[in-house]
Amino acid sequence: MFPERDRPSGPRIRRPHRLNPWHEMQAPMLTDCVVFFLSLLSLAGCAYYLTCIVAARRFFSRPRSAAPVSAVRPASILIPLCGADFQAYDNYASFCRLDYPEFQLVFGVQDPMDSSIPVVERLKENFPHCDIHLVIDSKAIGTNPKVSNLNNMLAAARHELIVIVDSDIRVEADYLSTLVPELADERIGLVTCLYRAGATPNWTSLLEAVGITGEFAPGVLVADFTEGIRFAFGATMATTKTRLSSIGGFAAIADYLGDDYMLGNLLWREGYEIRLGRPVVETMPPPLSFRSMLNHQIRWSRNIRACRPMGHFGTAITYGTVPALLNFIFFASPFTFLLLGAVAALRLFTGWYVGVRGLRDRILEKNLWLLLPRDLLGFGVWCASLTGWSVEWRGRRYRLQKDGRMLPPGERPEP
């Protein structure tokens, strides 16, 4: 309309610049990458759950060891005490009712005023036919008081075969007759056992109980399936005095927090096989506050981090429900919903197959759904275990070193 020179003057209207197509694609690409990563972690969890099922099927279908006459040999059962446990008398009495030809019970305390002493004295009165011995000795050989207690008790053990058991354990009458034959092979240095909770006095004990057979036991079975057992659990450690001496006795594990783990591991390093036995024992957890339960979980997780760093790192994939849940919360879609449902269903089936069908855990059977919130707690504990080396045990604070040894309160590691 106007010649170029007569064009009206005034503010120029800026046209919006078109965004670079790469910038337009960044947000969707980032979302897709996160969804893909979380989905990959969820599928890795599924692969782990399937491996648990295969490992459990292999273990529970294994025939029980026959008991030749030579395998039925006398045994000394060592039970270290530190204060009367929850339902202490019933726990100890279960060992007095064992259906086994000859065995000895050795209890030990370090404090002459220990509250468990009257319980043991009552046990002696009610089971006069049982060979029961109580050792009271405050001598210490290292930082771990339980190991010092065991070392003091060993001199009172009359038999070559020794079975070390935590004080909160309860057993069935056929416990020794099933356990001892598995040590008949000279290549086996130690036999350890899985366990389940026998009581849940409060809701925090219940939350910890479902984790024993629903989380801990599947991991043990996978380790047995993939590489073999290279450690032991305090619920049961059956070995001999000779094999114990071959690694330097209890003094070799006197400074470790995970004394049970190290006892099995040192025997494995010595060339022995560590066998996961068929007996399943029960632990009787006391009423727990949430804080004490959390401290126990973090202590155990940091101990695994020190003893098995790669295994501890790999534990992250065992919580497959966590990335699946995060995927659905932040990127809700039919795909993430279906993935969450599939992972949760497989997780619950794995817990049922291992804990309920295999280990006969009636507590888990009634509370199977708790495995899903238990996974969230377990993942949180795993994350917390990465943040330090301090642990709390029996009311005292220790600093855990990277090799699994623990330092007394206030002591610093040598440079």
Side-chain angles (χ1 to χ4, degrees), residues 326-384:
L326 293 175
N327 218 359
F328 176 69
I329 290 174
F330 293 108
F331 309 103
S333 69
F335 168 75
T336 57
F337 176 74
L338 290 174
L339 181 63
L340 174 60
V343 175
L346 185 56
R347 174 70 182 99
L348 292 175
F349 178 76
T350 302
W352 174 85
Y353 191 84
V354 176
V356 178
R357 186 178 184 273
L359 298 175
R360 310 297 182 198
D361 188 345
R362 301 309 171 202
I363 293 173
L364 180 62
E365 183 178 22
K366 297 175 182 177
N367 302 277
L368 189 64
W369 66 274
L370 277 177
L371 284 178
L372 301 180
R374 183 65 178 75
D375 275 0
L376 295 175
L377 174 67
F379 182 73
V381 167
W382 181 83
C383 292

Side-chain angles (χ1 to χ4, degrees), residues 7 36 98 165 201 259 345 360:
R7 183 171 293 173
F36 176 77
L98 290 174
V165 183
D259 53 274
R360 310 297 182 198

Side-chain angles (χ1 to χ4, degrees), residues 284-361:
M284 310 299 290
L288 296 169
S289 66
F290 185 77
R291 180 178 178 276
S292 60
M293 185 267 288
L294 204 58
N295 282 337
H296 176 258
Q297 295 287 315
I298 292 174
R299 182 178 74 241
W300 180 245
S301 188
R302 284 180 176 167
N303 180 58
I304 296 175
R305 177 187 166 201
C307 297
R308 287 169 55 88
M310 293 304 297
H312 179 266
F313 179 77
T315 301
I317 69 167
T318 67
Y319 303 111
T321 54
V322 177
L325 179 62
L326 293 175
N327 218 359
F328 176 69
I329 290 174
F330 293 108
F331 309 103
S333 69
F335 168 75
T336 57
F337 176 74
L338 290 174
L339 181 63
L340 174 60
V343 175
L346 185 56
R347 174 70 182 99
L348 292 175
F349 178 76
T350 302
W352 174 85
Y353 191 84
V354 176
V356 178
R357 186 178 184 273
L359 298 175
R360 310 297 182 198
D361 188 345

Side-chain angles (χ1 to χ4, degrees), residues 5-24:
R5 62 178 178 274
D6 295 327
R7 183 171 293 173
S9 61
R12 297 180 62 186
I13 299 175
R14 294 179 176 272
R15 294 182 179 180
H17 291 288
R18 184 177 180 182
L19 292 176
N20 188 316
W22 169 249
H23 294 293
E24 291 181 345

Side-chain angles (χ1 to χ4, degrees), residues 62-389:
R62 192 180 78 193
R64 291 179 178 267
S65 300
V69 176
S70 60
V72 181
R73 44 185 173 156
S76 292
I77 302 175
L78 277 57
I79 307 178
L81 308 177
C82 182
D85 293 280
F86 177 66
Q87 298 188 4
Y89 179 83
D90 292 331
N91 295 344
Y92 310 159
S94 68
F95 290 91
C96 297
R97 301 187 181 100
L98 290 174
D99 183 15
Y100 198 75
E102 185 179 358
F103 64 94
Q104 174 198 23
L105 291 176
V106 182
F107 296 93
V109 296
Q110 291 191 294
D111 183 358
M113 301 301 293
D114 195 290
S115 59
S116 65
I117 293 177
V119 182
V120 177
E121 296 298 338
R122 179 183 165 202
L123 203 68
K124 288 183 177 181
E125 293 177 5
N126 294 344
F127 295 92
H129 62 283
C130 283
D131 183 2
I132 301 175
H133 194 92
L134 175 63
V135 176
I136 304 175
D137 193 339
S138 60
K139 180 183 176 182
I141 61 170
T143 310
N144 189 320
K146 173 189 167 185
V147 178
S148 295
N149 199 3
L150 283 168
N151 188 69
N152 299 336
M153 296 161 61
L154 187 61
R158 297 191 295 105
H159 305 300
E160 167 68 9
L161 176 61
I162 56 173
V163 181
I164 305 165
V165 183
D166 282 342
S167 58
D168 60 352
I169 294 299
R170 191 175 297 184
V171 297
E172 299 292 337
D174 65 347
Y175 170 67
L176 277 185
S177 59
T178 307
L179 180 71
V180 172
E182 303 212 42
L183 266 175
D185 190 335
E186 292 297 324
R187 295 171 299 178
I188 297 174
L190 182 146
V191 178
T192 193
C193 295
L194 291 170
Y195 54 97
R196 59 179 178 254
T200 52
N202 62 358
W203 72 272
T204 47
S205 300
L206 174 60
L207 200 57
E208 185 165 77
V210 298
I212 294 174
T213 54
E215 178 184 321
F216 172 72
V220 172
L221 293 174
V222 168
D224 184 41
F225 178 64
T226 56
E227 63 179 7
I229 297 294
R230 303 178 181 182
F231 43 84
F233 322 121
T236 289
M237 296 184 289
T239 186
T240 65
K241 292 181 179 179
T242 301
R243 291 163 192 169
L244 179 61
S245 297
S246 71
I247 61 169
F250 286 120
I253 59 173
D255 292 322
Y256 288 93
L257 174 65
D259 53 274
D260 47 0
Y261 174 93
M262 289 305 302
L263 180 57
N265 190 252
L266 290 178
L267 283 168
W268 174 78
R269 293 186 204 176
E270 194 67 19
Y272 289 107
E273 178 185 342
I274 308 302
R275 172 71 61 87
L276 188 60
R278 288 301 301 272
V280 179
V281 299
E282 290 189 340
T283 179
M284 310 299 290
L288 296 169
S289 66
F290 185 77
R291 180 178 178 276
S292 60
M293 185 267 288
L294 204 58
N295 282 337
H296 176 258
Q297 295 287 315
I298 292 174
R299 182 178 74 241
W300 180 245
S301 188
R302 284 180 176 167
N303 180 58
I304 296 175
R305 177 187 166 201
C307 297
R308 287 169 55 88
M310 293 304 297
H312 179 266
F313 179 77
T315 301
I317 69 167
T318 67
Y319 303 111
T321 54
V322 177
L325 179 62
L326 293 175
N327 218 359
F328 176 69
I329 290 174
F330 293 108
F331 309 103
S333 69
F335 168 75
T336 57
F337 176 74
L338 290 174
L339 181 63
L340 174 60
V343 175
L346 185 56
R347 174 70 182 99
L348 292 175
F349 178 76
T350 302
W352 174 85
Y353 191 84
V354 176
V356 178
R357 186 178 184 273
L359 298 175
R360 310 297 182 198
D361 188 345
R362 301 309 171 202
I363 293 173
L364 180 62
E365 183 178 22
K366 297 175 182 177
N367 302 277
L368 189 64
W369 66 274
L370 277 177
L371 284 178
L372 301 180
R374 183 65 178 75
D375 275 0
L376 295 175
L377 174 67
F379 182 73
V381 167
W382 181 83
C383 292
S385 71
L386 300 173
T387 62
W389 291 101

